[in-house]
Amino acid sequence: MQNNKRILNIVTGVMLMLGTSQALAVTTLKLSHNQNRDHAVHKAMTQFANEVKEKTNGEVRIRIYSDSQLGNQRESIELMQNGALDIAKSNAAELEAFSPAYSIFNLPYLFRDKGHYQQVINSDIGKEILNSGQNMGFIGLTYYDAGARGFYAKKPIRTPEDLKGLKIRVQPSPTAIAMVKELEGHPTPLAYGELYTALQQGVVDAAENNITSFTLSRHSEVTKFFSLDEHTMIPDVLLISNNSLNKLTTEQQEIVKKAALNSSKYMIQLWEKSEKEEQAKAEKQGVEFIIVDKTLFQDAVKPMYDDIAKTQPELFEMVNRVRKVE
Ligand code: GCU
């Protein structure tokens, strides 16, 4: 009898423990991105994950899947929309197809310089764009600096004429496609992960990206001329699905949002360092960085703005708002 009582007590105790551990249930959020683990953005997101874990006392954990393990950027956004993924690091170019407000970042030479670009990101415009995906099932938590993009090819690109007739890989962004057409190249949209082979096998003649991604994706092994034309500054964007955000308590949501902003500040420092290091690395690999007269490229893409004024009044209004940001 006494024994039975003891057993009953133990069983009740175990059940109570199980109950408590369920109350402290851990929410694990899956984060997907397409860079490798040496990339600055992976490091910034690792800080994001660590801060979230620490500030929620381990109740919210973020598991990062790098190198497109869970699919390319478009597939990751779709997985998020279907509820199979919580967080994705994408890029404003890829996002244009989901939410047109992001196209502002894909317009060449819209930003006067890096300072102007940062001001826009931190302005109401930047916030509006992050929220613009909400009816597509996700919001942007923050932007990650991704430098300025330049064209690279197996031959030097010194003027817009040098791009004529080249097959140029672009991100799947209608604005990027329009830009390359304006420059009289042949735009070829491809996922990032497919580009190394496409360059190596001559499926495309050229591409465009920032210096860090150029070397870390090993494109610098197969293309030896990088033009510092800085045609766009396209940020990466950290997205979370509405459903995943709503699974969290209000307090946890605040922690996630704050940690994202903190990691974005950290990224600015990481970026500067990594860009310099990667340029030095590429130079050692025999890559020539070409200083170009940017005004030639600016003039060549100007008709895009006339076109937008005529055909996309909403976007043109946004362009004017961006231009006014001091
Ligand atoms: C950058 C950006 C990536 C993007 C890539 C691309 O490296 O950070 O998110 O996928 O450009 O050109 O596809």
Side-chain angles (χ1 to χ4, degrees):
M1 194 58 190
Q2 195 62 20
N3 251 355
N4 282 352
K5 212 170 161 194
R6 268 231 317 270
I7 290 171
L8 191 71
N9 279 344
I10 292 169
V11 170
T12 320
V14 168
M15 281 172 73
L16 274 175
M17 267 166 58
L18 282 177
T20 329
S21 77
Q22 250 165 22
L24 289 177
V26 171
T27 308
T28 302
L29 303 175
K30 282 192 262 175
L31 185 166
S32 157
H33 74 89
N34 66 353
Q35 299 289 7
N36 64 40
R37 301 172 82 86
D38 292 327
H39 198 286
V41 78
H42 181 84
K43 296 178 187 155
M45 290 187 293
T46 303
Q47 177 186 287
F48 164 63
N50 290 343
E51 185 176 330
V52 168
K53 184 175 169 197
E54 189 194 313
K55 298 257 168 71
T56 60
N57 301 319
E59 284 179 31
V60 180
R61 298 184 189 196
I62 294 166
R63 188 171 302 146
I64 305 179
Y65 296 85
S66 63
D67 301 277
S68 304
Q69 286 169 66
L70 300 184
N72 64 33
Q73 288 189 149
R74 183 181 46 75
E75 289 159 347
S76 295
I77 298 175
E78 287 168 358
L79 284 178
M80 231 176 33
Q81 290 179 311
N82 298 335
L85 179 72
D86 307 287
I87 304 178
K89 190 284 299 166
S90 188
N91 179 271
E94 189 84 48
L95 279 159
E96 189 180 331
F98 293 84
S99 176
Y102 281 98
S103 49
I104 208 77
F105 290 114
N106 304 321
L107 287 165
Y109 301 110
L110 176 59
F111 302 113
R112 291 185 293 275
D113 50 34
K114 195 144 192 187
H116 180 215
Y117 157 84
Q118 289 291 359
Q119 293 290 349
V120 172
I121 282 203
N122 295 323
S123 72
D124 288 346
I125 305 175
K127 290 181 197 118
E128 260 170 63
I129 298 175
L130 288 180
N131 287 327
S132 70
Q134 196 145 26
N135 57 2
M136 298 295 292
F138 54 81
I139 59 155
L141 288 169
T142 194
Y143 296 104
Y144 286 125
D145 201 359
R149 295 173 79 99
F151 288 105
Y152 51 92
K154 291 186 183 169
K155 63 162 207 175
I157 310 290
R158 300 185 196 281
T159 67
E161 281 70 48
D162 294 327
L163 291 166
K164 265 189 194 164
L166 295 190
K167 280 178 278 168
I168 304 172
R169 180 270 176 172
V170 288
Q171 294 204 70
S173 133
T175 309
I177 292 171
M179 173 185 75
V180 167
K181 281 191 183 152
E182 201 65 66
L183 295 164
E184 298 181 53
H186 301 298
T188 312
L190 277 181
Y192 186 51
E194 291 164 30
L195 182 52
Y196 177 86
T197 314
L199 283 165
Q200 192 189 35
Q201 299 183 348
V203 174
V204 292
D205 308 305
E208 50 83 58
N209 215 318
N210 54 57
I211 298 171
T212 297
S213 301
F214 168 65
T215 56
L216 288 179
S217 57
R218 298 174 31 239
H219 300 169
S220 52
E221 287 174 8
V222 282
T223 35
K224 296 294 179 191
F225 298 95
F226 189 107
S227 296
L228 298 164
D229 56 87
E230 306 195 317
H231 53 272
T232 45
M233 295 179 198
I234 308 184
D236 279 356
V237 189
L238 189 66
L239 308 161
I240 185 163
S241 80
N242 297 341
N243 284 344
S244 304
L245 193 61
N246 292 337
K247 271 196 296 202
L248 306 178
T249 65
T250 319
E251 197 191 333
Q252 290 171 340
Q253 290 183 11
E254 287 314 311
I255 290 172
V256 166
K257 287 180 184 170
K258 186 79 200 300
L261 287 180
N262 287 342
S263 66
S264 158
K265 285 186 199 136
Y266 179 45
M267 180 70 181
I268 295 177
Q269 302 165 25
L270 287 173
W271 186 262
E272 257 181 47
K273 191 167 166 274
S274 100
E275 217 173 28
K276 280 194 200 118
E277 283 172 5
E278 296 306 322
Q279 177 158 353
K281 212 198 272 171
E283 276 164 348
K284 274 205 195 121
Q285 292 175 333
V287 172
E288 186 186 334
F289 286 87
I290 303 166
I291 296 170
V292 299
D293 178 358
K294 281 200 248 172
T295 59
L296 299 176
F297 290 83
Q298 273 162 3
D299 290 345
V301 295
K302 259 192 192 132
M304 284 178 76
Y305 289 90
D306 303 332
D307 207 53
I308 292 170
K310 277 191 229 131
T311 58
Q312 299 183 67
E314 261 179 50
L315 182 59
F316 196 61
E317 199 196 310
M318 185 88 120
V319 165
N320 286 329
R321 278 176 67 200
V322 166
R323 282 180 172 151
K324 281 190 200 130
V325 173
E326 292 296 329

